[in-house]
Amino acid sequence: MVTVKEKPTYFDRIPNEILFEILENCKSTEPSTVLAARRLSRRFNACMDHIADVKINVLSRLVISGLGKKGIEMRWVSYEGQKTKTTVVPWSTVRSPRSSFEFNFRRFAIQRILLKNVPLSDDLIEFLRRQFQYADLTKLIQLSLSQVDFSLSNCLSLHRFLAPVAKTLEIFEITQCTGMRADSVTDEHLAQLDAPTVRRICIDGVRFASNATRNLDIGDGALRHFARLGAFPTMILDRCAVTTNTVCDYTKEWFEQCNESEKQLRSQVCTVKRCPKVKGSQFESECLRRGLRCKNRRGSGSLTLYNVQEENTKREFTIALAALEDKELAEKLKISEQNCNNNNLLTVPPSFQL
């Protein structure tokens, strides 16, 4: 066999920068000229992509939904253009390190990202991070995770997912998620958010992978972090490790630090649900000790609303507390009793057994 190698032509040796200048003139001519240049070769097609005028499309929502074993669905929604488009991505593409939707994401300015019913795995996070590096995320205001399965993630998974998107978020929501552990969402994750920017943090409907887990590692550190920076976003904290004293301190700090215009504009609300270290009766006494008036009333469901006021003012900071449900409390007590009984059992050596 004789192998013949063709030498590259002198035209192929032209640097891309010079070729860009030549092809720039084609853009001002008829569309047929542009198409002819693209059909000439792969190199010409790539060069035309490089010099093409990129029209940025503002995505009102990027919705990423799970399709079971089939893969994921990416839905692009534009309120401005009243358009929507759906793309199904199989799991083999998600797992591939070479998969890229650069052509699409370079044209996106994303405002909201919503994840629904997907497993938060490292493969999915890496896939999304690769796409987000091409998009304009300066207008991103919301990240919502709904019915997401955390069982395949670890403490670093959410940290890596938040890294490229957290600084501009105004709304951060994790709702009705399953397979969670204590370190699935922590104080360190909330610290990634830009405190002066974020307006709402919602951690609700938490479902743990194990019955032995009592709460997320979101504790007093998160509230102290926001209070120290003078930021008081509306919060919903479910099954967290915050304590009564810190919730009262956070309330007191709002009255002392929040500017007058914001106090007159709205009252503040912080909802603490099923947090074992926050007690309603203790909360009232701690508020009185800090010189705050506290009135409680029944809210919807198991919520008890505490309207906290400063003396001689009408401004209110509302704390909504929800205790553990009776069934959950009974299960917790049952587990603790079993652990105590197991610890008190004596092991009899085989030689003394009958």
Side-chain angles (χ1 to χ4, degrees):
M1 295 179 63
V2 178
T3 303
V4 178
K5 293 184 178 180
E6 295 184 359
K7 294 183 179 180
T9 64
Y10 289 105
F11 192 77
D12 291 332
R13 296 177 182 176
I14 297 177
N16 287 337
E17 291 75 12
I18 297 177
L19 195 56
F20 291 156
E21 294 294 330
I22 297 173
L23 295 177
E24 277 285 352
N25 296 324
C26 296
K27 291 170 55 178
S28 59
T29 59
E30 296 182 2
S32 59
T33 307
V34 176
L35 293 175
R38 286 185 175 275
R39 287 194 293 263
L40 187 60
S41 67
R42 292 182 179 179
R43 184 189 180 198
F44 270 62
N45 188 42
C47 290
M48 292 302 293
D49 284 339
H50 181 83
I51 65 173
D53 294 326
V54 177
K55 183 180 179 181
I56 300 299
N57 297 315
V58 177
L59 286 192
S60 304
R61 290 187 299 164
L62 171 62
V63 184
I64 301 167
S65 306
L67 298 176
K69 296 181 179 180
K70 188 176 181 180
I72 62 173
E73 175 191 272
M74 293 196 298
R75 182 180 297 274
W76 306 322
V77 181
S78 174
Y79 296 156
E80 189 177 299
Q82 296 184 347
K83 296 180 180 179
T84 181
K85 183 179 180 181
T86 301
T87 299
V88 175
V89 184
W91 285 118
S92 58
T93 303
V94 172
R95 298 187 187 99
S96 174
R98 297 182 180 180
S99 60
S100 175
F101 289 80
E102 177 182 356
F103 180 81
N104 302 92
F105 278 83
R106 279 197 182 278
R107 290 156 173 77
F108 291 161
I110 306 174
Q111 292 182 330
R112 300 170 185 86
I113 299 174
L114 288 76
L115 270 67
K116 292 183 177 181
N117 195 28
V118 294
L120 194 68
S121 62
D122 290 339
D123 290 330
L124 179 61
I125 291 173
E126 285 302 318
F127 172 78
L128 294 177
R129 281 169 57 95
R130 285 198 303 272
Q131 316 315 319
F132 291 161
Q133 67 179 326
Y134 303 118
D136 179 6
L137 300 178
T138 58
K139 298 180 180 180
L140 183 65
I141 61 172
Q142 179 179 349
L143 174 63
S144 297
L145 282 68
S146 176
Q147 300 178 0
V148 171
D149 183 6
F150 276 76
S151 59
L152 298 178
S153 64
N154 54 48
C155 61
L156 295 178
S157 300
L158 185 60
H159 177 83
R160 288 169 42 246
F161 186 47
L162 285 173
V165 302
K167 294 305 179 184
T168 60
L169 291 179
E170 297 181 16
I171 300 172
F172 177 57
E173 297 176 326
I174 296 180
T175 57
Q176 306 301 323
C177 293
T178 60
M180 303 188 77
R181 295 183 292 273
D183 61 354
S184 294
V185 189
T186 65
D187 290 340
E188 287 73 18
H189 293 128
L190 297 188
Q192 289 181 263
L193 304 173
D194 185 54
T197 303
V198 64
R199 295 184 294 107
R200 173 181 168 83
I201 297 174
C202 177
I203 313 293
D204 197 10
V206 176
R207 301 177 186 176
F208 291 113
S210 170
N211 292 330
T213 306
R214 298 192 64 189
N215 51 255
L216 295 171
D217 289 341
I218 299 177
D220 296 341
L223 294 182
R224 290 170 181 162
H225 168 74
F226 287 107
R228 184 173 63 253
L229 297 175
F232 299 90
T234 298
M235 285 193 180
I236 299 177
L237 301 178
D238 181 26
R239 294 183 180 273
C240 296
V242 293
T243 61
T244 304
N245 286 338
T246 304
V247 173
C248 292
D249 290 339
Y250 183 76
T251 305
K252 180 70 172 177
E253 290 289 340
W254 181 79
F255 285 108
E256 293 179 351
Q257 294 190 36
C258 196
N259 58 65
E260 292 298 323
S261 60
E262 186 174 353
K263 290 178 183 178
Q264 294 173 3
L265 181 65
R266 64 182 176 90
S267 296
Q268 184 62 299
V269 178
C270 178
T271 303
V272 181
K273 300 172 61 178
R274 300 184 296 178
C275 295
K277 297 181 181 179
V278 179
K279 307 296 181 183
S281 57
Q282 184 184 0
F283 178 79
E284 290 188 64
S285 61
E286 288 296 329
C287 284
L288 291 175
R289 192 170 66 84
R290 290 165 173 78
L292 300 172
R293 293 179 299 172
C294 182
K295 296 181 180 180
N296 69 74
R297 56 186 173 87
R298 191 70 177 175
S300 61
S302 61
L303 286 178
T304 301
L305 303 180
Y306 293 86
N307 296 327
V308 184
Q309 292 181 334
E310 280 184 314
E311 293 185 2
N312 303 321
T313 66
K314 295 183 179 180
R315 296 187 296 269
E316 288 186 351
F317 190 108
T318 301
I319 297 290
L321 300 183
L324 288 172
E325 297 177 1
D326 294 338
K327 292 182 179 180
E328 292 178 316
L329 188 58
E331 289 179 0
K332 299 293 183 185
L333 293 174
K334 185 178 180 181
I335 292 173
S336 61
E337 289 177 0
Q338 290 177 350
N339 291 337
C340 292
N341 293 334
N342 292 336
N343 292 334
N344 293 330
L345 291 177
L346 295 177
T347 303
V348 181
S351 58
F352 289 95
Q353 293 180 356
L354 297 177

